[in-house]
Amino acid sequence: MKKIGKDITKNKDFLKREDFYKNIMRKLEVQKSTVKLGGGEKAIKRQHDKGKLTARERIDLLIDKETSFLELNTFAAHGMYEEYGGAPSSGTLFGIGKIHGRDHVIVVNDATVKAGAWFPITAKKNLRAQEIAMENRLPLIYLVDSAGVFLPLQEDIFPDKEHFGRVFRNNAKISAMGIPQLAAIMGPCVAGGAYLPIMSDEALIVKGEGSVFLAGSHLVRAAIGEKIDNEDLGGAVVQSNISGVTDYIMENDEECLKQIRSLVEKGKTEPKAGFNRTESAPPLFDPKEVYGLLPEDTINQYDTYELIARIVDNSKIDEYKAGYGKSIITAYARIDGWSVGIVANQRSIIKTEKGEMQIGGVIYSDSADKATRFIMNCNQKKIPLIFLQDVTGFMVGSKAEHGGIIKDGAKMVNAVANSVVPKITIIVGNSFGAGNYAMCGKAYDPRFIFAYPNAKISVMGGNQASSVLLNIKIKQMEKAGKEFSDADKKKLLDEIINSYEDKSSPLYAAARLWVDEVIDPKLTREYISRSIECADNNANIEEFKLGVIQT
């Protein structure tokens, strides 16, 4: 085991970089606080005037006191659906909270946002919540208060495999897996959405506010001519005492949440995976120093060892193949006491026998080979994997191709795809092209995936992409008989770069659920530790197998 890290606070760029990152974090916190208002102050007041709690107030009362809620997908739908007035956090909150000391996935409709209606991304967010519950065997709590599908976009949410109906299919699958599901109907629950609480193990309903039916009173009158109000059609008393659809009648939100806690307290406990954990020890260097380490422009260099030194316990690692394949760091370490295997892109200038070489997050054949072996070792030892992504892709050119870069890259991708231990991915800087895949991007089933607020996620870097896109655009215009001046080309290039940069930002990715959350870099240890704690709830780890690999 070796100690890593040094004092970087005296570096000439430290204060400049620190100030830059603090400004990013201030902006992010302002955006997050706006999102957390949901439909706004007036909508919150209307909720309170009805005697109802807001979604966040419900969560606060449900989870154990003096514990924090690990909210995920906070920025879902960010910048989307603006023509409909937007949908902050997609009108649904979800995350992981402790109830009587046990982690639960909690999904809550935010009725201040379009009456809790489901947008297309809302369905995707609910599916992600269920996926996390299934992967980590965490019980689910649904707090339902929703007007149902947002009808202007019904074709984008209704019929496909990853649309609305998949949620109810997952209800059935989760139940068959033996994972508890409780649902509380705390407002409207309409049409197909009625199946979510009723396909849960038990359903509670709040008198006077909760209602559940396949068609509301207006639609019933239009369809069959029957005149009836919603309370007599599917209110708490009707659905509990007459139809038997719901199981518990609650007087108000507070009583309902207390009843959920009481039911949860009597539930079963699951065996743990038993991932290795010892007493936690802080890094030797302040995690806040990461602000002064990371560059303003993600194409610039920094030493990834210094990042790791501010994440791992005692700033110590057992580095695997330290002198080989230096563009990827592979090492065993502990984070908050948890034993982990770290796979990290090195962004520094390294020294070789032939002199200095700037590697800038590129994956070479030897690095891919090393990472493949290390991933296999971690699976053999049942050690969770942490991927610290700052990758511009695999090396290109004749030397790389003749050396078998595709073959070696494929081996690494194969190992990542078939890995059975929990994988947690942090996108630190760049996440470009096939490098995103090899370093366990969203398509490779990380248990959790987070991004730093200055990360970039795209098929290639902005400068390269904008140059390619500009050439294509100019050729199209020239075919149409139009000529471009240098000023026209510059204007067009600036437009392309700005558009490309916006679409490669972490908020753009978070809005579409490509990452689970945009996180504060100084809290990296906490997010990793909490993720492994959740993953430890699933004791069912499959046997690690690989298919055909070219050697």
Side-chain angles (χ1 to χ4, degrees):
M1 178 170 281
K2 69 176 182 181
K3 176 180 170 293
I4 56 172
K6 59 180 183 291
D7 183 3
I8 60 171
T9 60
K10 304 296 191 295
N11 187 295
K12 62 183 178 66
D13 294 323
F14 180 86
L15 292 177
K16 182 182 176 186
R17 288 179 170 184
E18 182 185 49
D19 189 55
F20 173 81
Y21 231 100
K22 283 182 176 178
N23 280 328
I24 288 181
M25 287 308 307
R26 278 192 285 268
K27 290 177 184 177
L28 185 71
E29 289 304 317
V30 168
Q31 290 170 308
K32 188 173 286 189
S33 62
T34 301
V35 168
K36 287 185 175 181
L37 284 174
E41 297 285 2
K42 290 182 179 178
I44 291 172
K45 185 178 184 302
R46 286 195 297 270
Q47 187 92 334
H48 287 159
D49 289 344
K50 294 178 183 177
K52 298 169 67 175
L53 300 173
T54 65
R56 295 184 185 281
E57 289 167 343
R58 288 168 176 169
I59 291 170
D60 288 342
L61 280 181
L62 181 59
I63 64 174
D64 295 345
K65 291 180 179 178
E66 298 180 0
T67 65
S68 58
F69 182 62
L70 178 63
E71 185 171 356
L72 301 172
N73 297 157
T74 306
F75 288 104
H78 180 78
M80 301 170 67
Y81 313 122
E82 295 299 321
E83 65 271 37
Y84 302 106
S89 216
S90 79
T92 294
L93 312 182
F94 104 84
I96 299 166
K98 289 190 181 295
I99 305 175
H100 292 292
R102 185 175 179 193
D103 282 324
H104 288 69
V105 173
I106 303 170
V107 185
V108 189
N109 297 121
D110 185 351
T112 70
V113 179
K114 302 291 189 297
W118 286 53
F119 288 78
I121 204 70
T122 314
K124 188 175 180 181
K125 184 170 178 176
N126 276 262
L127 291 172
R128 177 59 178 150
Q130 291 179 321
E131 181 180 48
I132 287 173
M134 288 187 281
E135 287 180 339
N136 301 288
R137 290 197 68 85
L138 298 177
L140 269 154
I141 306 290
Y142 305 100
L143 304 183
V144 184
D145 191 349
S146 171
V149 167
F150 187 66
L151 290 177
L153 296 173
Q154 63 85 24
E155 73 278 10
D156 295 323
I157 189 174
F158 170 65
D160 210 345
K161 183 176 179 179
E162 293 190 347
H163 285 176
F164 198 48
R166 188 75 171 185
V167 173
F168 319 132
R169 175 264 189 195
N170 283 355
N171 281 139
K173 290 288 187 180
I174 292 166
S175 182
M177 292 171 67
I179 299 173
Q181 297 175 92
L182 280 177
I185 302 166
M186 308 178 82
C189 186
V190 186
Y195 288 105
L196 185 148
I198 308 311
M199 291 188 73
S200 299
D201 302 338
E202 295 181 274
L204 305 86
I205 186 167
V206 177
K207 189 186 295 185
E209 288 297 337
S211 59
V212 55
F213 32 64
L214 294 181
S217 56
H218 292 295
L219 186 54
V220 166
R221 184 172 183 180
I224 63 174
E226 181 183 1
K227 295 181 181 180
I228 190 169
D229 63 32
N230 284 339
E231 190 65 26
D232 290 335
L233 179 65
V237 174
V238 169
Q239 295 292 28
S240 296
N241 297 346
I242 298 176
S243 70
V245 167
T246 52
D247 306 308
Y248 305 89
I249 300 178
M250 300 289 105
E251 289 296 325
N252 51 45
D253 283 9
E254 289 85 353
E255 183 184 64
C256 183
L257 296 168
K258 285 180 182 177
Q259 182 65 42
I260 293 172
R261 287 186 55 82
S262 180
L263 293 169
V264 164
E265 191 267 335
K266 297 170 180 66
K268 64 177 181 177
T269 57
E270 294 277 358
K272 301 287 187 181
F275 297 122
N276 186 309
R277 192 180 196 185
T278 58
E279 186 176 348
S280 177
L284 300 180
F285 304 93
D286 192 335
K288 289 187 290 188
E289 291 177 5
V290 173
Y291 290 171
L293 170 69
L294 299 173
E296 302 100 307
D297 190 329
T298 58
I299 67 170
N300 292 334
Q301 306 297 308
Y302 63 93
D303 189 348
T304 306
Y305 286 101
E306 297 300 334
L307 173 63
I308 296 171
R310 285 151 183 83
I311 295 174
V312 303
D313 290 10
N314 293 314
S315 301
K316 289 182 178 180
I317 61 174
D318 294 302
E319 188 167 8
Y320 176 77
K321 291 184 181 290
Y324 178 71
K326 290 188 174 183
S327 71
I328 287 183
I329 299 167
T330 50
Y332 302 105
R334 290 193 181 274
I335 296 177
D336 196 24
W338 295 104
S339 171
V340 298
I342 296 172
V343 181
N345 302 113
Q346 172 61 296
R347 290 302 311 274
S348 185
I349 295 173
I350 63 172
K351 292 182 179 180
T352 68
E353 293 177 357
K354 298 180 180 179
E356 290 188 342
M357 178 173 65
Q358 182 171 307
I359 55 179
V362 176
I363 301 176
Y364 292 81
S365 280
D366 54 357
S367 303
D369 176 66
K370 175 174 79 169
T372 301
R373 287 287 302 275
F374 182 72
I375 290 166
M376 293 168 68
N377 285 339
C378 287
N379 276 273
Q380 180 82 354
K381 300 175 184 179
K382 298 296 184 285
I383 296 175
L385 282 159
I386 311 300
F387 291 86
L388 300 178
Q389 273 200 25
D390 198 342
V391 57
T392 52
F394 286 91
M395 190 58 190
V396 297
S398 60
K399 185 177 179 181
E401 297 293 354
H402 297 171
I405 186 65
I406 297 176
K407 175 184 66 177
D408 292 318
K411 286 192 293 187
M412 183 176 175
V413 169
N414 196 317
V416 172
N418 285 294
S419 182
V420 295
V421 296
K423 297 171 289 190
I424 294 128
T425 301
I426 312 284
I427 302 176
V428 173
N430 299 314
S431 180
F432 296 158
N436 171 280
Y437 306 153
M439 291 295 294
C440 198
K442 186 66 182 290
Y444 286 77
D445 297 323
R447 293 287 181 95
F448 298 92
I449 179 169
F450 306 110
Y452 284 180
N454 200 33
K456 302 289 182 187
I457 306 163
S458 58
V459 74
M460 65 177 74
N463 290 333
Q464 301 96 312
S466 57
S467 178
V468 172
L469 292 169
L470 178 64
N471 287 335
I472 292 171
K473 192 74 174 176
I474 290 173
K475 286 178 181 178
Q476 288 174 340
M477 292 299 184
E478 287 174 347
K479 283 183 180 179
K482 296 182 180 179
E483 293 186 3
F484 270 87
S485 66
D486 289 342
D488 291 332
K489 289 179 183 178
K490 184 179 184 309
K491 181 181 177 183
L492 182 57
L493 181 62
D494 288 343
E495 290 174 356
I496 292 171
I497 289 175
N498 290 336
S499 174
Y500 198 88
E501 290 296 315
D502 286 343
K503 291 179 180 178
S504 63
S505 75
L507 284 183
Y508 190 90
R512 289 151 183 82
L513 311 193
W514 302 344
V515 297
D516 289 319
E517 193 72 0
V518 181
I519 68 170
D520 187 335
K522 72 182 180 186
L523 300 178
T524 302
R525 276 173 56 86
E526 286 83 345
Y527 274 94
I528 290 174
S529 176
R530 196 74 178 85
S531 298
I532 299 175
E533 183 182 10
C534 291
D536 196 43
N537 283 283
N538 189 352
N540 302 323
I541 301 177
E542 299 174 11
E543 182 184 351
F544 178 59
K545 297 178 181 178
L546 289 177
V548 177
I549 294 183
Q550 292 191 36
T551 57

